[in-house]
Amino acid sequence: MVKIGALEAGGTKMVLAVYTLEGEELERLTLPTLTPQQTMPQMVDFFRAHAVDALGVGSFGPLDLDPRSPTYGAITSTPKLPWRGYPLLRELLGGRDIPAAIDTDVNAAVLAEVVRGAAQGLDSAVYVTVGTGIGGGVYVNGATVRGLMHPELGHMLVKPHPDDPNPRGVCPYHASCLEGLAAGPAIAARVGGDARELPDGHPTFDIEAYYLAQMCANLVLTLSPQRILLGGGVMQRAVLFDKVRRQTAALLNGYVNQPAITERIEDYIVPPALFPVSGLVGAYLLGLYAYQRRV
């Protein structure tokens, strides 16, 4: 039986799985993301023990995704300092010559949603995860988008809300970027505690929607995707979807005169169908496609 290994490498946890060629999940293992020295041996052992025939990886980044690069598959300038410059894909393979592919965790997630989830049948889609950080995956015409590196939607610059007590945000790299103003740590800094304990009517959720709506409007105007999917822990606060949709439409102000925006925005900005395993399923698909290319 052909077995496809899949890894969703996140900032707080690593989710590993083994799938059949047809996509049936055989086993799963979740580990905390500690240092490479603590985490990697268990992951390497897991895939070796299952003798996977191919491997797909969706990882936090930034990543080197240029197959011609000597550091292909390495994590680059991540704020997670123990992982900076770490050759993730090379170490996972451990010298084994099996088909393998790596992409960002959010690119893996958007791939999964296009193939099996809330964006099936579409030629383009964007998946944004809003949690401890903010990342975005972009899919266009059969492939995830890469260029100079890969999309880093979480660090687009946005206009601070006039009522935000921390208009610089919490990003160590940029003032007033999306992640620094709208990710989980930014919300916690704004309210001075755990926002999960706040009622839906708390004004911080209007501020949050203001930032996410700027992001959605920017995506509509720059990438023109057929659908935007918003996932991650922050988006489990369901009231945010209506707020984001309304503010996105207000920001666009009729300029994009498309029924998907002007009449059916509730079907345009949507939650992912596969959450919380979009990235893991996407990693399986990366491994599957690598296997199919080899054979």
Side-chain angles (χ1 to χ4, degrees), residues 200-201 205 236-244 246:
D200 283 351
F205 297 116
Q236 299 314 294
R237 177 73 64 149
V239 70
L240 279 173
F241 275 96
D242 184 56
K243 293 177 182 291
V244 170
R246 285 189 286 105

Side-chain angles (χ1 to χ4, degrees), residues 130-209:
V130 187
T132 305
I134 295 180
V138 180
Y139 179 95
V140 177
N141 295 335
T144 56
V145 169
R146 305 179 189 180
L148 181 64
M149 45 180 285
H150 50 75
E152 280 287 345
L153 302 184
H155 293 274
M156 71 169 65
L157 303 180
V158 294
K159 182 169 65 174
H161 192 285
D163 296 330
D164 193 337
N166 186 17
R168 187 205 178 280
V170 299
C171 176
Y173 288 94
H174 313 112
S176 305
C177 77
L178 181 67
E179 181 171 291
L181 289 169
I187 303 172
R190 183 178 305 126
V191 301
D194 190 342
R196 290 174 294 186
E197 301 173 359
L198 300 175
D200 283 351
H202 194 280
T204 195
F205 297 116
D206 291 316
I207 295 174
E208 178 71 8

